[in-house]
Amino acid sequence: MNLIILGPPGAGKGTQAVRLAEGLGIQHLSSGDMLRAERASGTPLGAKVAEYMDSGALVPDEIMIEAILNRLEGGGDTGVLLDGFPRTVAQAESLDEALGKAGRPVDGVLELKVPRGAIVQRITGRRVCPKCNSVYHMEFRRPRQEGVCDNDGEALIHRPDDTEEVIVSRLKNYEKQTTPLTEYYAGKGILHAVDGDGSVDEVCARLERVTRQLSGGR
Ligand code: AMP
């Protein structure tokens, strides 16, 4: 099964995508995690994208499309859950073309809907593990030991683009560049809106309900 999870920054895409992909036994491909890993290992791609990311802007389509499609080719055919890609209609069209050629069309797009006030609160309190990408929240999802990842003991970080000023521009970019994707996928009849307000378990149960329907109730 090939799925896309869509939603504004802070909607909980990353947290939910890890659980969903694990439950479905498919690959989880997060464009943001991929770019952060490139930066951390000092690759030419990492250097090219750093400035865009830190200012809250989107990385240009041509860079992003090539990077993700390369990963997809290596991803085998068990299926994939794309998290953070596509973010523009041009990216969606390139993805359709590549998956269509490979005979692996997108089966469903899960759109997480979260009120704006909740988003800002979620992002400013978010802390992430730079090693395994686990996501925590200072209030709602605290690690067992303050400031330290439960999985690998790494010191948690506050992403430089998770500050209040950068969030404003990330949300604006989402509205302008990514919201048109909902129409694009609704037109194809594969968009499923899911209420993203609630606990991680509640939202996960709602998403799983949709994926069960998509896999024919299996
Ligand atoms: P995320 O972790 O998904 O919030 O992504 C962090 C940042 O990476 C974004 O603010 C963009 O600068 C960049 N990025 C991630 N995915 C994409 C994409 N599909 N297109 C363009 N830029 C992206």
Side-chain angles (χ1 to χ4, degrees):
M1 180 155 32
N2 298 305
L3 299 170
I4 293 170
I5 189 159
L6 209 64
K13 294 188 297 293
T15 304
Q16 296 296 342
V18 169
R19 291 176 62 152
L20 264 186
E22 205 177 287
L24 293 165
I26 61 178
Q27 181 196 4
H28 167 219
L29 183 51
S30 155
S31 53
D33 288 349
M34 182 192 87
L35 296 176
R36 283 182 286 276
E38 295 283 342
R39 288 182 67 171
S41 39
T43 65
L45 174 62
K48 257 196 246 172
V49 300
E51 218 171 293
Y52 298 103
M53 293 177 79
D54 290 345
S55 67
L58 289 190
V59 170
D61 281 338
E62 59 278 14
I63 299 178
M64 211 55 230
I65 290 168
E66 193 191 333
I68 291 282
L69 296 190
N70 281 342
R71 288 291 174 105
L72 277 180
E73 277 163 19
D77 57 5
T78 52
V80 67
L81 173 55
L82 286 166
D83 155 17
F85 184 93
R87 258 177 159 98
T88 64
V89 172
Q91 291 180 11
E93 288 170 347
S94 306
L95 177 69
D96 275 351
E97 199 188 315
L99 288 178
K101 261 193 213 150
R104 300 167 52 188
V106 178
D107 298 294
V109 179
L110 309 165
E111 184 199 5
L112 277 181
K113 303 198 72 109
V114 180
R116 197 183 167 105
I119 286 176
V120 176
Q121 194 187 26
R122 283 187 189 184
I123 302 190
T124 48
R126 175 156 75 180
R127 297 294 180 270
V128 294
C129 172
K131 195 166 167 197
C132 73
N133 301 313
S134 294
V135 182
Y136 299 87
H137 191 281
M138 284 168 47
E139 210 178 314
F140 311 127
R141 199 164 184 238
R142 302 167 70 101
R144 283 194 294 273
Q145 190 190 334
E146 184 80 33
V148 175
C149 179
D150 291 348
N151 298 331
D152 50 31
E154 195 77 11
L156 301 179
I157 59 160
H158 187 198
R159 273 171 49 178
D161 59 343
D162 274 354
T163 58
E164 225 164 321
E165 311 106 66
V166 184
I167 293 163
V168 173
S169 91
R170 288 169 68 197
L171 287 172
K172 256 196 215 141
N173 290 336
Y174 182 82
E175 281 296 316
K176 205 165 128 211
Q177 293 167 285
T178 310
T179 308
L181 277 187
T182 55
E183 256 171 59
Y184 177 85
Y185 287 120
K188 292 177 178 286
I190 55 171
L191 182 74
H192 304 270
V194 174
D195 179 4
D197 203 10
S199 71
V200 173
D201 287 343
E202 281 163 354
V203 177
C204 190
R206 292 176 199 140
L207 288 165
E208 282 173 347
R209 217 170 292 141
V210 178
T211 58
R212 266 199 303 278
Q213 280 164 9
L214 288 175
S215 57
R218 266 176 280 151

